Amino acid sequence: MKETNLLKNQAYINGIWTGAASGKTFEVTNPATGEVIATVPDLDRSDVQKAIDAASAAWPAYRDRTAKERAALLRRWYDLMVEHKEELAYLMTIESGKVMTESLGEVQYGASFIEWFSEEAKRAYGDVIPAHSKDRRLVVIKQSIGVVAAITPWNFPLAMITRKVGPALAAGSPVVVKVPSETPLTGLAIAYLAEQAGFPKGVYNTVTSANSSEVGKELCENKKVRKLSFTGSTPVGKILMEQSASSLKKLSLELGGNAPFIVFEDADLEAAVQGALVSKFRHNGQTCVCVNRILVQEGVYEAFVEKFTQAVRGLKTGNVLDKEVQVGPLIHQKALKKVQEHIQDAVQKGATVTTGGEKIEGLFFQPTVLANATPAMLIAREEVFGPVAPIFRFKTEEEAIQMANDTEYGLASYFYSRDVNRCWRVAEALEYGMVGINEGLISTELAPFGGIKESGFGREGSKYGMDYFMEIKYLCFGGVAKQ
Ligand code: SIN
């Protein structure tokens, strides 16, 4: 790495790089090799309270800065991330197993939220409402919500941080980021760049801990934290929501998914194969918006299975630092076991493995396609979070919609069709927060990311993103009528 200062092994609280008061640490492991690559502080609740106190103390001065000043800080931070994209991508790859090309993509994607919200900072407009009586004037202003906590996942070590802290910092709120125990290094590296960008002390804090539930509890229950934004599993999201009830904390929850990918008979089959491939195997199937179920209409079922199987066989697995490699390891043993269980269950219930199906070595698993999948299989209901693509069969548009919506989740969905009327009908009928129509990769800072049903609530990115980190205040001016 060119810039060794980016490799941090301490937490960042109140402008100071620090260890845990207890002195405890935990190890960070490279999932591709099993090597220990760093040790970082194992903070407990009392350490996290210090970060919250620092953020709370920094709030008044930070929110009173002009939007233009906050925008300039964010812009500097964005420029630094882009300048250091190779080092950030390297750290991301060695701690998460994400292949290098995808890590470089994530740095750019993650930084784009900071660029976007540096621009949005200056556009947090309010409203003037036509009044209901002559002597009054009604105005709406938007104000910073206060301290924001962000709990972020290992699958996007950078972008899930920036997507949350971007709007918070733009709106005038200090942040406390709990980085994942599997991948803390990228989060610490961008904390260092935030320091270099000039954020005042206490405005940007990053905590590391192996005890996520204890830290989560503090962030939920502490009354100084006014907003919590979490990306992770639905069961953990439900726990955080329960724990936040005592302080009636505002929440954004971006939780699990069970994304359907529907291929209609009128689809461009080649495009559908490519769309399914990139969506399914992004970060080895370990994203919340990865295709979980491929639903194919009976007339093109065999042709799709054949073409898709060929495409999956062509994926290159191996050294994650090699820019030619497309598929890396799974994050940990538990993830590998889940993949194996899903395949075993599907095969027992009649699925056919058309390619893959075996562990390679360490945490690497062959990209796998399962034909003849049915709704009775575990994989139809649970998020696989791994390199397994089950292909289901359907007869009619109505049946496809029913199958696609038959899940408690509602994050991302996709379908391929060349019939414009069908495109409208199906897009409106899918019970999901996001729909890709003839497109398998839909994430961008410009559009609202988020789900419905048990995939959570709140939207990140886009012109809507700031609203989730601001309070709306109504001002009623009386006695305005002429004397
Ligand atoms: C996620 O998997 O949680 C995020 C995926 C994305 O931003 O595209």
Side-chain angles (χ1 to χ4, degrees):
M1 280 190 8
K2 271 190 287 175
E3 170 80 85
T4 45
N5 285 339
L6 284 178
L7 181 57
K8 289 286 175 199
N9 59 2
Q10 287 185 303
Y12 184 59
I13 297 176
N14 204 19
I16 294 166
W17 293 93
T18 176
S22 67
K24 284 192 194 159
T25 57
F26 64 95
E27 292 178 339
V28 184
T29 308
N30 179 340
T33 61
E35 266 175 287
V36 174
I37 47 177
T39 54
V40 295
D42 188 5
L43 303 190
D44 61 20
R45 276 185 92 143
S46 64
D47 297 307
V48 175
Q49 276 161 15
K50 287 183 199 146
I52 297 170
D53 288 345
S56 181
W59 184 35
Y62 185 63
R63 78 175 168 220
D64 288 348
R65 290 197 171 209
T66 64
K68 200 167 171 153
E69 285 171 317
R70 293 195 298 268
L73 285 169
L74 283 161
R75 180 72 209 193
R76 268 203 294 281
W77 194 26
Y78 163 77
D79 288 339
L80 286 168
M81 283 187 210
V82 174
E83 191 183 317
H84 293 286
K85 65 173 189 277
E86 289 282 341
E87 295 107 305
L88 290 170
Y90 174 78
L91 279 178
M92 190 183 294
T93 289
I94 61 168
E95 67 177 346
S96 72
K98 186 170 282 197
V99 294
M100 195 59 184
T101 39
E102 281 198 48
S103 293
L104 283 164
E106 185 185 333
V107 176
Q108 199 58 52
Y109 173 50
S112 73
F113 289 102
I114 301 305
E115 181 189 40
W116 172 260
F117 285 109
S118 75
E119 292 152 0
E120 286 296 282
K122 294 175 277 185
R123 297 187 193 113
Y125 304 135
D127 271 313
V128 179
I129 300 175
H132 55 300
S133 79
K134 284 185 182 163
D135 68 338
R136 298 198 197 159
R137 296 294 179 270
L138 315 184
V139 176
V140 173
I141 59 171
K142 292 184 183 174
Q143 292 184 304
S144 141
I145 200 166
V147 174
V148 169
I151 305 182
T152 62
W154 53 260
N155 61 341
F156 284 86
L158 192 152
M160 295 306 102
I161 299 176
T162 53
R163 194 154 80 182
K164 298 177 190 317
V165 303
L169 294 166
S173 293
V175 297
V176 177
V177 183
K178 156 70 176 71
V179 287
S181 55
E182 295 88 344
T183 60
L185 302 180
T186 313
L188 291 172
I190 62 168
Y192 169 72
L193 295 180
E195 183 185 29
Q196 300 303 302
F199 283 97
K201 81 183 173 74
V203 169
Y204 195 94
N205 304 278
T206 299
V207 298
T208 52
S209 178
N211 193 342
S212 299
S213 54
E214 192 186 349
V215 171
K217 207 156 189 273
E218 181 60 35
L219 294 173
C220 289
E221 290 177 356
N222 193 310
K223 289 190 194 306
K224 288 184 185 163
V225 177
R226 299 278 177 82
K227 159 95 194 192
L228 172 74
S229 181
F230 168 70
T231 295
S233 75
T234 294
V236 173
K238 288 181 183 177
I239 295 172
L240 297 177
M241 191 164 171
E242 252 177 64
Q243 289 174 345
S244 297
S246 62
S247 61
L248 278 183
K249 202 171 304 313
K250 295 205 169 42
L251 295 171
S252 286
L253 299 177
E254 196 259 279
L255 308 177
N258 182 359
F261 185 102
I262 309 171
V263 183
F264 289 102
E265 279 166 2
D266 57 24
D268 173 341
L269 222 52
E270 299 296 337
V273 166
Q274 283 315 308
L277 193 73
V278 291
S279 179
K280 174 68 248 182
F281 293 98
R282 184 172 173 220
H283 194 10
N284 202 9
Q286 301 176 109
T287 88
C288 303
V289 291
C290 275
V291 170
N292 209 51
R293 296 168 291 155
I294 303 178
L295 317 179
V296 183
Q297 200 158 12
E298 58 183 0
V300 290
Y301 189 87
E302 307 303 338
F304 182 89
V305 170
E306 199 188 312
K307 284 177 193 291
F308 186 66
T309 302
Q310 282 304 332
V312 173
R313 281 196 191 119
L315 290 173
K316 196 167 168 202
T317 307
N319 177 2
V320 286
L321 290 166
D322 175 348
K323 289 189 179 161
E324 300 290 303
V325 166
Q326 293 154 297
V327 183
L330 286 150
I331 187 73
H332 41 47
Q333 207 56 45
K334 210 166 110 201
L336 186 82
K337 202 159 158 259
K338 189 171 178 195
V339 160
Q340 287 169 318
E341 279 167 9
H342 274 138
I343 295 176
Q344 205 179 16
D345 170 81
V347 169
Q348 266 168 15
K349 292 177 181 156
T352 319
V353 178
T354 63
T355 186
E358 300 295 331
K359 184 178 143 152
I360 304 171
E361 63 174 11
L363 294 171
F364 286 83
F365 197 90
Q366 291 177 332
T368 301
V369 179
L370 297 174
N372 304 318
T374 69
M377 296 168 184
L378 267 184
I379 207 161
R381 313 220 69 80
E382 293 180 5
E383 193 176 25
V384 59
F385 239 64
V388 187
I391 312 184
F392 301 74
R393 193 187 297 261
F394 71 88
K395 286 195 173 73
T396 63
E397 180 180 308
E398 204 184 8
E399 189 190 2
I401 292 167
Q402 183 278 324
M403 285 169 78
N405 288 342
D406 184 20
T407 167
E408 65 266 32
Y409 296 107
L411 190 59
S413 56
Y414 310 85
F415 68 90
Y416 276 65
S417 165
R418 281 186 282 207
D419 174 340
V420 70
N421 295 333
R422 167 174 275 165
C423 286
W424 273 105
R425 269 196 313 273
V426 176
E428 286 174 1
L430 287 171
E431 294 170 358
Y432 288 83
M434 298 175 282
V435 186
I437 303 153
N438 297 316
E439 184 54 64
L441 280 183
I442 57 175
S443 306
T444 160
E445 82 280 12
L446 309 174
F449 189 104
I452 61 170
K453 293 162 75 181
E454 293 193 26
S455 290
F457 45 80
R459 292 294 178 269
E460 293 182 331
S462 82
K463 70 167 183 167
Y464 306 101
M466 290 275 284
D467 284 346
Y468 292 89
F469 294 86
M470 302 196 88
E471 294 286 15
I472 286 180
K473 188 182 277 180
Y474 158 49
L475 313 180
C476 178
F477 291 82
V480 183
K482 282 195 191 123
Q483 298 293 322

